[in-house]
Amino acid sequence: MSDTIERFSNRVANYVKYRPSYPAEMFDVFRDEMNWTEDSAVADIGSGTGISSKPFLERGNRVFGVEPNAAMRAAAEEFLKEFPNFVSIDGTAEQTSLPDDSVDLVIAAQAYHWFDPETAPAEFERIAKPNSFLALIWNERLLDANAFLRDYEAHLREFANDYDKVRHDQIGTEVLSARFRKEFGQRSFENSQLLDFAGLMGRMLSSSYMPTEADDRYPLMIAKLESLFDKYAEKGRIQIPYQTNVFYARL
């Protein structure tokens, strides 16, 4: 567990700057299908640097950001310091420390695949009020929609340490329904980032499976990434498209 918690500690700055946010259209699903309102209390489990908490805070929600990594938690506290409704909590998905029946919505964005699938569901049910909902959210980078994305995927696989082990795209409604013993729905939305080279490099380095500057392969990795950028960039920018997937169920 400690390895999982700490693997993002040296990624915080890039994570804050270069990870994508979430499309505004997503909130129609929360409102129409999950009983969400601006008055809902939200538990953001594995809240990281606060990227997933921010859009709820902007809409007036009280958000409990539960994050075990101290560096990421501190980054969230700085990133969200203008929002008095943000409550930063040192906790895990398995032990949030939140009271029983205390929140109207439980979310986990880019995080559920790190949780213990045996114990986390019970903790979510414990902290949720009756008839509350759970939403698991991922920005899934499109892998082969164009030549750049195919070459970028090959680049990641060439240099990544445990890429296949930590990928989460095998988690879908069937897997979740079996784990939680509840019926999950799914909604998907288009999302994208438009990045200069610094942004593309920061986005790559925000992933825990990529080598850091301490790795002997780092200079070659950056040089090859720059070649990719020079080959495909238009007007000094590269677009990375995502599909934002929201999996949800009544707790």
Side-chain angles (χ1 to χ4, degrees):
M1 176 64 73
S2 61
D3 178 65
T4 297
I5 292 172
E6 295 302 326
R7 66 182 291 149
F8 283 98
S9 294
N10 59 349
R11 314 282 177 168
V12 171
N14 284 320
Y15 208 106
V16 171
K17 290 182 180 179
Y18 301 120
R19 282 295 179 111
S21 187
Y22 300 92
E25 294 82 2
M26 184 178 74
F27 283 88
D28 294 339
V29 178
F30 285 102
R31 178 178 289 107
D32 297 341
E33 301 186 33
M34 288 182 259
N35 301 329
W36 170 83
T37 71
E38 287 79 358
D39 295 323
S40 299
V42 180
D44 185 358
I45 312 298
S47 50
T49 61
I51 295 172
S52 51
S53 295
K54 187 177 182 181
F56 288 92
L57 293 164
E58 290 173 333
R59 288 162 173 80
N61 294 113
R62 184 171 179 79
V63 178
F64 299 92
V66 179
E67 173 53 51
N69 182 289
M72 298 192 87
R73 196 168 59 250
E77 292 164 3
E78 174 64 24
F79 180 52
L80 302 173
K81 62 185 179 181
E82 66 183 279
F83 296 101
N85 280 346
F86 180 66
V87 181
S88 182
I89 295 175
D90 180 3
T92 67
E94 300 76 24
Q95 293 182 309
T96 64
S97 80
L98 289 169
D100 294 354
D101 303 327
S102 59
V103 298
D104 302 288
L105 175 67
V106 179
I107 69 167
Q110 309 295 133
Y112 170 74
H113 51 292
W114 300 113
F115 303 164
D116 185 329
E118 300 298 325
T119 56
E123 179 69 354
F124 297 166
E125 292 196 26
R126 183 188 68 79
I127 66 176
K129 297 176 184 177
N131 296 315
S132 296
F133 278 80
L134 166 69
L136 306 177
I137 309 163
W138 282 281
N139 279 317
E140 302 278 5
R141 176 173 44 82
L142 301 187
L143 304 183
D144 62 356
N146 57 44
F148 165 72
L149 293 170
R150 290 189 289 272
D151 284 354
Y152 182 63
E153 177 70 3
H155 178 75
L156 297 183
R157 288 186 174 278
E158 178 180 356
F159 290 98
N161 296 312
D162 53 358
Y163 184 69
D164 288 321
K165 180 180 177 181
V166 302
R167 285 194 61 80
H168 46 75
D169 51 7
Q170 300 303 312
I171 300 176
T173 54
E174 291 186 9
V175 170
L176 293 171
S177 295
R179 288 182 180 178
F180 285 83
R181 299 180 182 177
K182 300 178 186 299
E183 183 177 354
F184 272 76
Q186 177 183 351
R187 292 289 300 276
S188 300
F189 307 88
E190 292 182 357
N191 199 5
S192 68
Q193 290 180 291
L194 192 62
L195 302 172
D196 59 13
F197 179 70
L200 179 64
M201 183 173 70
R203 174 63 185 89
M204 180 186 71
L205 294 175
S206 74
S207 297
S208 64
Y209 47 75
M210 298 308 293
T212 66
E213 292 184 18
D215 194 298
D216 291 341
R217 299 170 297 162
Y218 184 87
L220 179 60
M221 178 182 71
I222 298 301
K224 285 193 170 185
L225 182 69
E226 191 166 13
S227 294
L228 276 181
F229 183 84
D230 291 343
K231 180 178 179 180
Y232 291 108
E234 297 182 4
K235 297 181 179 180
R237 297 288 189 274
I238 279 284
Q239 185 174 48
I240 298 184
Y242 299 88
Q243 179 173 287
T244 301
N245 292 320
V246 181
F247 301 93
Y248 59 97
R250 189 186 297 270
L251 288 171

